[in-house]
Amino acid sequence: MALLEVRNLQKIYKSRFSSVQVEALHDVSFQVEPGEFVAIMGESGSGKSTLLNLLAVLDQPTAGKIYINGQDCASIPNKELSAYRRNHLGFIFQDYSLLDTFTLKDNILLPLVLNKMKYPQMIEQLEPLAKELSIEPFLLKYPYEVSGGQKQRAAAARALITHPELLLADEPTGALDSKSSQSLLELFEYLNNEQNQTIVMVTHSVSAASYAKRVLFIKDGKIFHQLYRAKQSREQFYEQISNTLTLLASMEENTCKAPYTSF
Amino acid sequence: MQSALYFLLALRSLKKNYRIALPLFGGSAILVSLFYSTMALPHSLTHHFGIDNLVASSYFEIIEMMCQFLLVIFYLYLNAIWNNTRAKENAVFTSLGMEKGQLVRITFYQLGLFYLSSLVAGIILGICLEKVLLLFLLKLLDLEPLIGFYLSYDALKTTALFILFCYGLLFVCSTISVLRSKPLEHLHEPQGGEKPLKAPYFFALLGLISLLCGYCLATMTTNQMYLVINFFNAVLLVIVGTYLLFLYGSYILLELLSRNKKAYYQTRHFIFWSTMKSQLRKNALALANMSILSTMLLIISATTITLQLSIKPTLEMRYPNAFQVSIPYSPTLQDATTQSPTNKISSIRKDLNGQAAQHQVEFQDLRILPFTLVSLYEPGDSSASVIHLDDLNELLQTDYKLEENEIFVLDGAYFQDQLDKLQKYKITDLEHDDQLNWIADLTPLLTIVAKDNANFVPVRDELFLSFDLIDAQTKENVAEDEATSELILDLLKPYLGDQYAYVYMRSDFSKNLKYIYSMLLITGLYMTIIFLLAVILILYFKQITQGQEDHQRFKIMKHIGLEPDGLRQIINSQVRILFFSPLITALIHILFAYPLIQNILDSMTYETFDHFFIVLIACFMIFALLYWITFRLTARSYYKLALLNDQTNDFTI
């Protein structure tokens, strides 16, 4: 059974003061199997973030269904949504979303505290994870005292500490330099390969996407194309993604020019 | 054309930052109205009633100076908030290529708009306020209001000029701040990095000691000599203590709490304690300011209201009769000294009644008290008044007894020096009641009650008379005026000889008392309004800035999986603790200040008015209600900003 199943998803935004409607997602369907690492690519405004917000149950779709582990997300009562999000999903954001009033340790422990776990148990969970992510030396520092890469690792630790079934990452390398990006993506690859962690990552970086096992291309609110890495090396996959994007861009150019040529 | 552009930009930024601009305009208008009314009120009084005596003008001068001082400080505070609000906008303009000179021009137009609008609104408000205050003051002074509208052009001119001066100052400050600003810093807002406080334990301890010393001074000072000086010392200590405890004490408290890991990592405490720690640090100064301003306004309003309410009892005690006069012991009375006290006084009474009959008037409730001015230091220098025990018992219908070599003193606390000269006696400080207070107050000297005054060095003998006077035919009270005063002196001629005595009239005293206390009340009112305005505006601005800061934090918590209800609960308790702490602090401060202020008031108001506590608590209740209303109103803006949903900002589902 697929871990995540998206069926005919549609999202329409309406302006509060006018009748203007924007269709952010149009009939999107796809599945993510357990242990998959999927990258969703697309340009700004293509509907990537809307899709991720819907997957994260932060927003409700206008039509269509999302099933996580076979459970219809729309059927989760409002009261249980927060707990559901906390226990089944992990999030990593482009801006790290760390609370500046907490140390890294407290930031990472936050979901466990919300789950009312006992302190010694929390530490038991934290220690191996911190070691794995090499953030042990910075645990007692505040977010503003550490580098971007360290912050993003802490954010990853916060997302992983509840052992979520699905890790959702929204442009996780967007604010990082190339070295930190590479190290984070290697971490994702490691988590995916060694711990069978399912990851869905939204990105517009070809390099980031080339770490995934599958790439979905989204354009104007629709799934436009998808690529599997299969046995390819990362470099080969990078090449393939890049070519697809070029193709996409040239198609767009053609459609834009079309009215003029027909004239 | 160019000016129009800058004007438009200035206008647009005012509109965009309406959350800050509107209260600034309101605050400024109220300040203008207060200033105008302080300027116009004395003019109106003079215009209507010719009340132009020295006391009045000096009071208004004090109010004016105080208003000017507080106004300038207040304006600087408001301006600093406005500059902060606009810093980011200025940074954007700079990055788009606008020069600093052009930014200054925008600032100029904005301040100009603020000036003109708040001046017009403030003067309209001020005219109303001044009329209301005038009616209030006339009511207090028992004067009839006159019909007619009077506008003081002098006051208008001075107000416009003074406020212009204030805005000129603000323009200079804003220009400096624009010139010195580094726009890029505002474009990339750093995530709040805070340095750990230096030596927090030391300063917190210092604050605690300072506060406790202040409280001790306030509760333990009973010596009349040191009441006022200790009051100011206590105020100073409490202010220092409040600041230090808010800044350092709160930090330490939360730091210690968070060290208890078991308690700290509980869901209920975790987010609350850690966000509280940073919020308290950011707001400590403002909260301490609010506490101190609240305490001050409570004490000022309660004290001035109490004084106002004490006028009637003070008057009744100090002047049981309409007239009081102190005359020298005339030679014609010398023969009476050999008689027994009762006989002596009754013979004086008989004599005086006879004199009155000749002038077609009658004494009523005539109280007679002979006393001797004596010298304790150099011969001829009157340093105490001695009353014969029998005379005192006769006047008050009491039965005090003195042992051999014992004397009573009535107001010993003020005359430690003189008491040292009386070491050879056994001194008893009589428990004061209203009657004894009255007697103690007859002369500004130490009052001694002795069995016989032979051991003292006499300067002269005097006779104190207190009485009402009625017309012998109509049986109506004689008017308290100059003519009656002349009549009384005429009537006392046989005793006075060619010496002069001053007839004290209750109406004069009453007028003075009302005048002084009413002016104090008006002064208190002005200060209360200014402080209240400051508290309300600080509360509001803090909620706004806090709301903006918390917004991002709460958004993250929501994403991580904190239930909306839990979030709301945390915000509620956080906001409540944060913003009600000044009110609680003010309550504790006034409760400790109460004994000392009561003592000071006692020394001013004859212990007859012990309702200060009730007035104080009533003032607190009213203030708390106002505070709560302000809090509720401003909290709305806070919630709006803090819980603003980004997605529903422009689009809704």
Side-chain angles (χ1 to χ4, degrees):
Chain A
M1 189 177 65
L3 175 67
L4 173 71
E5 190 182 349
V6 175
R7 256 191 236 160
N8 312 103
L9 208 59
Q10 188 194 25
K11 178 70 186 173
I12 297 173
Y13 288 119
K14 278 181 199 157
S15 168
R16 195 183 294 178
F17 303 112
S18 72
S19 55
V20 179
Q21 291 193 357
V22 178
E23 190 175 29
L25 289 178
H26 174 75
D27 197 22
V28 172
S29 300
F30 65 92
Q31 289 187 349
V32 177
E33 298 299 325
E36 257 200 302
F37 181 179
V38 178
I40 299 173
M41 283 199 86
E43 289 178 352
S44 302
S46 59
K48 308 187 299 276
S49 292
T50 307
L51 179 60
L52 204 73
N53 277 340
L54 292 175
L55 296 183
V57 215
L58 285 169
D59 205 350
Q60 300 286 332
T62 313
K65 296 271 183 203
I66 299 170
Y67 297 93
I68 296 178
N69 249 341
Q71 188 182 12
D72 181 3
C73 287
S75 71
I76 305 168
N78 258 342
K79 272 190 169 177
E80 290 163 28
L81 262 182
S82 296
Y84 181 83
R85 206 177 291 144
R86 216 158 55 218
N87 294 321
H88 297 270
L89 306 172
F91 299 96
I92 299 176
F93 303 93
Q94 177 178 0
D95 61 356
Y96 324 120
S97 285
L98 293 172
L99 293 164
D100 53 4
T101 50
F102 288 111
T103 56
L104 293 189
K105 176 184 164 186
D106 289 354
N107 264 298
I108 297 169
L109 291 183
L110 187 60
L112 299 185
V113 175
L114 294 176
N115 277 347
K116 302 192 168 107
M117 198 181 264
K118 292 257 180 314
Y119 180 64
Q121 273 174 289
M122 289 185 205
I123 295 301
E124 258 171 49
Q125 303 257 17
L126 174 71
E127 276 171 356
L129 191 63
K131 205 174 263 174
E132 213 173 332
L133 300 187
S134 336
I135 45 170
E136 266 179 318
F138 321 110
L139 278 182
L140 292 179
K141 296 211 159 159
Y142 283 90
Y144 47 84
E145 293 173 314
V146 299
S147 74
Q150 287 154 354
K151 272 191 237 183
Q152 200 55 299
R153 281 168 176 276
R158 182 180 61 190
L160 293 168
I161 201 158
T162 51
H163 304 295
E165 288 138 38
L166 183 61
L167 183 66
L168 297 168
D170 186 4
E171 301 275 8
T173 57
L176 297 181
D177 58 73
S178 61
K179 206 173 153 221
S180 304
S181 293
Q182 195 188 339
S183 130
L184 184 79
L185 290 162
E186 277 166 5
L187 176 73
F188 280 10
E189 210 173 25
Y190 163 82
L191 288 169
N192 179 244
N193 289 334
E194 304 299 316
Q195 300 186 358
N196 218 21
Q197 176 70 55
T198 317
I199 302 171
V200 173
M201 172 175 75
V202 160
T203 183
H204 63 243
S205 146
V206 180
S207 160
S210 68
Y211 281 84
K213 285 183 180 163
R214 177 155 64 115
V215 179
L216 292 174
F217 294 91
I218 186 164
K219 189 172 182 306
D220 300 330
K222 283 179 246 177
I223 301 277
F224 181 79
H225 188 57
Q226 65 173 334
L227 290 177
Y228 283 90
R229 181 164 160 190
K231 294 261 158 60
Q232 294 181 82
S233 71
R234 206 174 66 73
E235 286 73 22
Q236 286 168 325
F237 196 39
Y238 181 99
E239 192 79 32
Q240 200 184 355
I241 298 167
S242 196
N243 288 339
T244 311
L245 284 177
T246 317
L247 185 72
L248 262 164
S250 65
M251 278 175 65
E252 192 174 355
E253 230 166 71
N254 287 338
T255 40
C256 285
K257 280 179 185 163
Y260 299 100
T261 46
S262 66
F263 185 71
Chain B
M1 186 61 211
Q2 276 231 325
S3 303
L5 173 72
Y6 294 124
F7 185 74
L8 215 65
L9 283 172
L11 211 60
R12 197 164 285 174
S13 128
L14 283 176
K15 202 174 149 195
K16 194 180 140 222
N17 297 308
Y18 74 98
R19 277 205 172 91
I20 303 288
L22 274 180
L24 282 185
F25 159 74
S28 176
I30 293 176
L31 289 179
V32 172
S33 74
L34 285 175
F35 188 77
Y36 169 77
S37 60
T38 55
M39 300 302 297
L41 203 53
H43 285 291
S44 288
L45 280 174
T46 318
H47 176 77
H48 284 309
F49 303 100
I51 298 176
D52 194 22
N53 68 36
L54 243 134
V55 188
S57 51
S58 66
Y59 263 106
F60 277 110
E61 265 168 31
I62 293 171
I63 298 179
E64 235 171 73
M65 267 163 54
M66 197 187 67
C67 252
Q68 283 172 353
F69 175 71
L70 290 174
L71 231 70
V72 171
I73 294 197
F74 213 147
Y75 269 126
L76 287 175
Y77 170 73
L78 295 181
N79 195 44
I81 286 185
W82 182 242
N83 283 342
N84 252 347
T85 314
R86 290 217 48 239
K88 199 169 173 184
E89 205 173 83
N90 277 349
V92 175
F93 283 145
T94 311
S95 65
L96 290 176
M98 203 176 260
E99 281 166 25
K100 288 199 164 169
Q102 292 163 318
L103 290 179
V104 170
R105 270 178 90 167
I106 296 179
T107 311
F108 176 78
Y109 282 118
Q110 274 176 351
L111 285 175
L113 279 170
F114 267 133
Y115 171 69
L116 288 176
S117 57
S118 62
L119 189 70
V120 172
I123 282 182
I124 294 171
L125 197 65
I127 291 170
C128 302
L129 181 71
E130 188 253 332
K131 295 298 165 212
V132 172
L133 282 177
L134 181 67
L135 286 177
F136 181 57
L137 196 61
L138 293 180
K139 171 98 182 106
L140 291 179
L141 296 176
D142 285 337
L143 293 169
E144 284 294 314
L146 291 183
I147 309 293
F149 187 78
Y150 170 73
L151 206 60
S152 159
Y153 292 102
D154 269 356
L156 282 176
K157 205 173 86 189
T158 320
T159 309
L161 285 177
F162 180 73
I163 303 297
L164 186 65
F165 162 76
C166 285
Y167 272 91
L169 190 69
L170 297 191
F171 180 63
V172 172
C173 291
S174 302
T175 306
I176 293 172
S177 116
V178 167
L179 293 180
R180 286 175 62 182
S181 69
K182 291 178 185 137
L184 281 179
E185 279 176 15
H186 290 285
L187 279 182
H188 309 288
E189 275 175 289
Q191 286 281 304
E194 283 162 356
K195 283 182 193 143
L197 285 172
K198 274 184 189 158
Y201 286 93
F202 171 73
F203 285 113
L205 191 69
L206 198 70
L208 191 68
I209 292 172
S210 172
L211 189 72
L212 290 180
C213 285
Y215 283 168
C216 283
L217 267 187
T219 43
M220 291 183 182
T221 305
T222 44
N223 191 334
Q224 306 267 341
M225 294 285 281
Y226 300 114
L227 281 179
V228 176
I229 184 94
N230 275 359
F231 172 74
F232 285 108
N233 285 337
V235 167
L236 210 67
L237 285 169
V238 168
I239 287 179
V240 171
T242 308
Y243 276 115
L244 289 179
L245 280 182
F246 261 105
L247 282 168
Y248 295 94
S250 58
Y251 175 78
I252 284 177
L253 182 75
L254 286 161
E255 189 76 42
L256 289 179
L257 282 176
S258 61
R259 280 199 195 157
N260 179 353
K261 299 285 179 213
K262 257 191 174 166
Y264 179 61
Y265 285 104
Q266 271 180 25
T267 320
R268 265 188 310 148
H269 301 156
F270 186 61
I271 297 169
F272 179 69
W273 286 358
S274 52
T275 40
M276 200 66 187
K277 200 157 81 182
S278 85
Q279 291 200 345
L280 264 176
R281 260 196 82 178
K282 273 184 206 146
N283 297 319
L285 207 63
L287 293 177
N289 280 334
M290 280 160 71
S291 308
I292 287 168
L293 288 173
S294 309
T295 313
M296 281 183 175
L297 80 88
L298 283 172
I299 287 178
I300 290 170
S301 53
T303 315
T304 48
I305 291 172
T306 306
L307 284 176
Q308 185 66 33
L309 293 177
S310 76
I311 290 178
K312 210 174 155 223
T314 302
L315 201 62
E316 278 167 7
M317 192 37 53
R318 184 73 179 76
Y319 277 79
N321 305 110
F323 303 97
Q324 290 185 359
V325 61
S326 195
I327 53 173
Y329 226 151
S330 151
T332 55
L333 294 171
Q334 280 302 321
D335 53 342
T337 52
T338 50
Q339 299 172 15
S340 76
T342 323
N343 285 342
K344 177 175 73 182
I345 287 176
S346 56
S347 80
I348 296 171
R349 189 185 298 276
K350 203 172 145 199
D351 198 40
L352 284 173
N353 278 335
Q355 291 290 341
Q358 286 179 22
H359 290 83
Q360 277 85 44
V361 285
E362 276 176 28
F363 283 114
Q364 291 253 304
D365 190 20
L366 176 60
R367 303 163 192 222
I368 303 168
L369 182 68
F371 64 94
T372 311
L373 292 176
V374 298
S375 163
L376 298 176
Y377 306 98
E378 313 257 313
D381 138 62
S382 3
S383 40
S385 62
V386 179
I387 297 170
H388 202 286
L389 177 69
D390 297 332
D391 290 339
L392 183 78
N393 280 333
E394 162 74 14
L395 178 72
L396 303 183
Q397 300 295 307
T398 47
D399 194 21
Y400 290 115
K401 287 198 169 59
L402 279 169
E403 288 168 25
E404 208 51 49
N405 207 35
E406 188 191 10
I407 55 169
F408 290 146
V409 293
L410 289 189
D411 36 14
Y414 297 108
F415 300 100
Q416 205 50 49
D417 224 27
Q418 281 86 335
L419 289 184
D420 290 344
K421 290 274 169 194
L422 297 166
Q423 296 281 354
K424 58 180 174 181
Y425 295 99
K426 183 188 169 203
I427 299 171
T428 310
D429 212 331
L430 265 191
E431 191 80 16
H432 281 206
D433 61 9
D434 293 344
Q435 295 270 11
L436 286 176
N437 265 328
W438 174 56
I439 291 174
D441 227 53
L442 296 182
T443 64
L445 305 171
L446 173 68
T447 309
I448 301 168
V449 180
K451 235 173 172 177
D452 70 276
N453 48 16
N455 292 331
F456 294 97
V457 183
V459 179
R460 65 173 184 276
D461 291 328
E462 293 213 1
L463 203 57
F464 173 77
L465 308 171
S466 171
F467 51 86
D468 293 318
L469 210 58
I470 58 169
D471 192 301
Q473 274 150 18
T474 60
K475 302 287 178 199
E476 274 174 12
N477 278 327
V478 178
E480 294 171 39
D481 55 19
E482 273 304 304
T484 315
S485 172
E486 290 293 320
L487 174 83
I488 291 169
L489 289 180
D490 226 24
L491 180 157
L492 295 173
K493 198 81 185 165
Y495 308 93
L496 284 169
D498 46 6
Q499 294 191 60
Y500 180 77
Y502 188 80
V503 179
Y504 292 93
M505 284 180 280
R506 183 162 55 193
S507 57
D508 283 348
F509 183 73
S510 150
K511 210 169 122 191
N512 272 335
L513 204 62
K514 274 184 188 161
Y515 207 87
I516 292 170
Y517 286 177
S518 302
M519 294 316 286
L520 275 176
L521 186 68
I522 294 281
T523 316
L525 196 69
Y526 271 109
M527 290 181 81
T528 306
I529 294 176
I530 294 180
F531 289 166
L532 192 67
L533 189 67
V535 170
I536 288 175
L537 284 180
I538 295 175
L539 186 66
Y540 175 77
F541 290 133
K542 273 290 148 192
Q543 297 246 40
I544 293 280
T545 45
Q546 197 61 53
Q548 283 163 347
E549 278 173 20
D550 286 348
H551 172 227
Q552 186 60 19
R553 192 171 297 145
F554 292 145
K555 196 174 119 196
I556 295 173
M557 288 188 194
K558 202 174 133 201
H559 282 186
I560 290 164
L562 180 63
E563 284 85 1
D565 281 354
L567 189 61
R568 203 162 251 280
Q569 242 174 19
I570 288 174
I571 297 176
N572 273 343
S573 45
Q574 199 164 288
V575 166
R576 255 183 236 145
I577 289 194
L578 211 61
F579 292 110
F580 278 95
S581 58
L583 194 65
I584 307 291
T585 315
L587 180 65
I588 299 172
H589 283 350
I590 57 168
L591 288 181
F592 274 101
Y594 159 70
L596 185 58
I597 299 172
Q598 176 75 65
N599 272 339
I600 295 177
L601 286 176
D602 282 349
S603 67
M604 294 170 79
T605 58
Y606 292 83
E607 279 182 51
T608 46
F609 197 81
D610 48 6
H611 301 326
F612 175 58
F613 190 72
I614 299 167
V615 175
L616 190 62
I617 294 302
C619 283
F620 177 78
M621 304 282 249
I622 294 170
F623 176 66
L625 184 71
L626 282 176
Y627 194 92
W628 186 77
I629 292 172
T630 315
F631 173 78
R632 292 291 301 189
L633 291 176
T634 53
R636 265 193 220 169
S637 316
Y638 172 83
Y639 285 119
K640 246 187 212 164
L641 288 169
L643 296 176
L644 187 77
N645 191 342
D646 287 295
Q647 286 172 347
T648 54
N649 194 14
D650 300 313
F651 291 103
T652 48
I653 305 154

